Amino acid sequence: MEKNNKEKLEQMARSRQQGKSVEEVIRDVLGGDIGGHTEEIRETVRGITSEADRLEEKYAGIHVCMAVLQEIDEQCGEDCAAQFRRISDLKYIAGLRNLKVSAEEVAGQGMDTEFVKEMLAKTHATEQQMAAGATRQQVEALRNELTFTFPTEKEGIAQMMAQAAADESWTPVLEKAKEAMDCLSDKDREDMMVMAAALFLSEHPEISAKAAAATAVVQVAQSEGKRNMDFIWMAIPTALAVMVAGLLLMFIAAVTGFSLPFHLGAMTVVVSGTILSVMALLAVGEAAYEAVKAAIPYMKKAWEKCGPYRKKAADKVKAAVACVVGVIADKVFRPVIYWVSNHAAPVIDEKIFHPLKDRLERMLEWLKEKKEQVVQFIKNAAAPKSEEESEAEEKAQEEDFACTQEEDEDEWIVENAEWE
């Protein structure tokens, strides 16, 4: 019976651990056609990781969002169009990352995750069309939106494991896994990225070797959780970054052998555990591999404990959509779009200044088609909380929302809707 992808990855790691070169094991397991791309894959991996290292060293001690914006300024100079495109790309990628992390929370709050995905994609496409004529004011507005979508803390499996370690009964298992991962060298990480990229390329020959390599860099670094992911994204060539963001779910399916829906849940942890266990096998051998495998169930339990973290990501998803149909000033959301009674067309409230009004005007036809989802979003984004929910959110240092509805015009006015 043909081996599944996880078994292929393990076989490559065992052969590499026993002394064969990565090039040899890729040819042995995946065939000569894929092996012929190994050099290009490795060059791409090295280029991205070395650039990420440079950025991380350059901006040590600087808040990552400010660092990214400063780097964009250095790369693009005074070219507003180039700045607008780059910020738009990073904002879209950050939005997809937040949605992936918080899909269950977003759905639980009554939002349609497919609508949110469409909204993020439509907004990005519209911004790219606008870029050629972007003004300095529009660039600044987009920069402000990017700050809303950026993660406020490190992501990755390492954070989950740290939270899980608070339960003493898990400590021995997790400590063994940590010891195994501490043995990894930079060469081990690079070889893992190359093998994972080759496996992904073998499953999806329609993509380029560079795209497969960049996708593997992101997923392996994210699984290990020790790298600043924002610098990884900044290091990926602009032409590849958005494509890679869209390929990540396909990568997970290729490496684990499962076809995944968007609501990943614990599958994100499973793929992280798969990557980590194979990396341990690659670097140290069978004992380390078994130690990390034994930790995977505890990683799943750790993920269940990360509710406040996922909730923050869900709030950032909500803010990303809110920026399109409204404005956020002093952390308060003001919708500038509504539907007048008995009319299908949306209306922009001219009394409220929207710095990216041009974007909203370009999207009005699409928003008209999505009326039900947009109206529901505005209602849910500002829905009053129950006493129990309010107390729980206060404990988690989350914000509260309140909403009033004017029945005659079907317009929602949001009061005290604060966003981080």
Side-chain angles (χ1 to χ4, degrees), residues 1-144:
M1 185 174 69
E2 184 179 350
K3 289 184 175 68
N4 64 34
N5 294 323
K6 184 172 177 292
E7 289 173 333
K8 290 176 183 177
L9 201 57
E10 290 170 355
Q11 182 183 346
M12 285 191 285
R14 284 193 176 91
S15 296
R16 154 63 170 75
Q17 210 268 335
Q18 291 166 5
K20 285 191 174 184
S21 70
V22 170
E23 290 73 14
E24 287 178 304
V25 302
I26 288 174
R27 290 182 186 277
D28 290 347
V29 177
L30 301 177
D33 290 346
I34 299 300
H37 294 286
T38 305
E39 185 176 348
E40 183 180 9
I41 289 172
R42 190 177 291 279
E43 286 178 0
T44 303
V45 166
R46 284 180 176 170
I48 293 170
T49 54
S50 63
E51 175 64 6
D53 288 342
R54 184 189 71 82
L55 292 172
E56 196 149 5
E57 181 179 352
K58 178 180 178 181
Y59 293 107
I62 300 176
H63 189 283
V64 66
C65 186
M66 295 303 100
V68 166
L69 291 174
Q70 183 178 322
E71 185 65 21
I72 291 172
D73 287 341
E74 291 189 16
Q75 290 181 9
C76 302
E78 296 299 315
D79 188 338
C80 285
Q83 285 196 27
F84 198 85
R85 288 191 188 95
R86 188 70 164 132
I87 295 167
S88 173
D89 284 345
L90 292 172
K91 185 166 67 74
Y92 178 52
I93 291 165
L96 290 178
R97 289 166 62 194
N98 289 332
L99 184 56
K100 185 173 105 170
V101 168
S102 66
E104 292 177 353
E105 281 69 18
V106 168
Q109 292 178 20
M111 286 182 280
D112 182 342
T113 54
E114 289 303 317
F115 162 68
V116 175
K117 281 175 67 179
E118 286 184 54
M119 171 70 93
L120 294 175
K122 181 66 178 179
T123 302
H124 176 252
T126 303
E127 289 166 356
Q128 294 298 305
Q129 293 167 2
M130 292 170 58
T135 65
R136 173 53 55 188
Q137 183 185 58
Q138 289 175 325
V139 169
E140 289 302 317
L142 211 63
R143 286 166 71 101
N144 289 335

Side-chain angles (χ1 to χ4, degrees), residues 222-393:
Q222 191 166 272
S223 294
E224 192 179 11
K226 293 183 178 179
R227 299 292 297 266
N228 189 309
M229 294 307 301
D230 299 296
F231 291 137
I232 292 282
W233 281 110
M234 283 296 293
I236 296 174
T238 304
L240 280 180
V242 171
M243 181 189 302
V244 169
L247 291 174
L248 281 171
L249 289 183
M250 291 168 58
F251 178 91
I252 292 173
V255 170
T256 61
F258 296 110
S259 179
L260 301 175
F262 189 75
H263 296 279
L264 292 175
M267 279 307 300
T268 301
V269 180
V270 170
V271 72
S272 295
T274 297
I275 295 291
L276 290 175
S277 62
V278 176
M279 287 172 76
L281 173 63
L282 181 73
V284 186
E286 293 291 340
Y289 170 69
E290 294 299 332
V292 177
K293 270 180 60 177
I296 293 176
Y298 299 98
M299 294 178 193
K300 292 182 183 179
K301 291 181 181 180
W303 179 246
E304 293 168 4
K305 288 191 169 189
C306 293
Y309 168 66
R310 298 198 306 268
K311 175 90 171 50
K312 286 184 179 180
D315 285 344
K316 292 178 186 297
V317 170
K318 201 184 297 182
V321 178
C323 284
V324 177
V325 295
V327 294
I328 299 176
D330 298 324
K331 296 186 178 181
V332 177
F333 165 54
R334 303 292 184 191
V336 297
I337 183 171
Y338 61 95
W339 278 261
V340 177
S341 297
N342 302 319
H343 289 75
V347 174
I348 298 175
D349 188 342
E350 299 290 349
K351 295 177 291 184
I352 302 177
F353 170 71
H354 193 324
L356 286 167
K357 178 183 173 184
D358 288 353
R359 181 183 64 190
L360 183 55
E361 288 177 336
R362 290 170 182 246
M363 293 178 65
L364 283 179
E365 282 301 312
W366 182 82
L367 290 168
K368 182 167 66 175
E369 296 173 7
K370 301 292 180 179
K371 174 185 175 180
E372 183 178 341
Q373 291 98 322
V374 176
V375 170
Q376 194 62 43
F377 167 81
I378 294 175
K379 291 173 69 177
N380 288 339
K385 302 290 190 270
S386 69
E387 184 176 348
E388 293 80 4
E389 288 175 318
S390 295
E391 290 176 355
E393 288 201 351

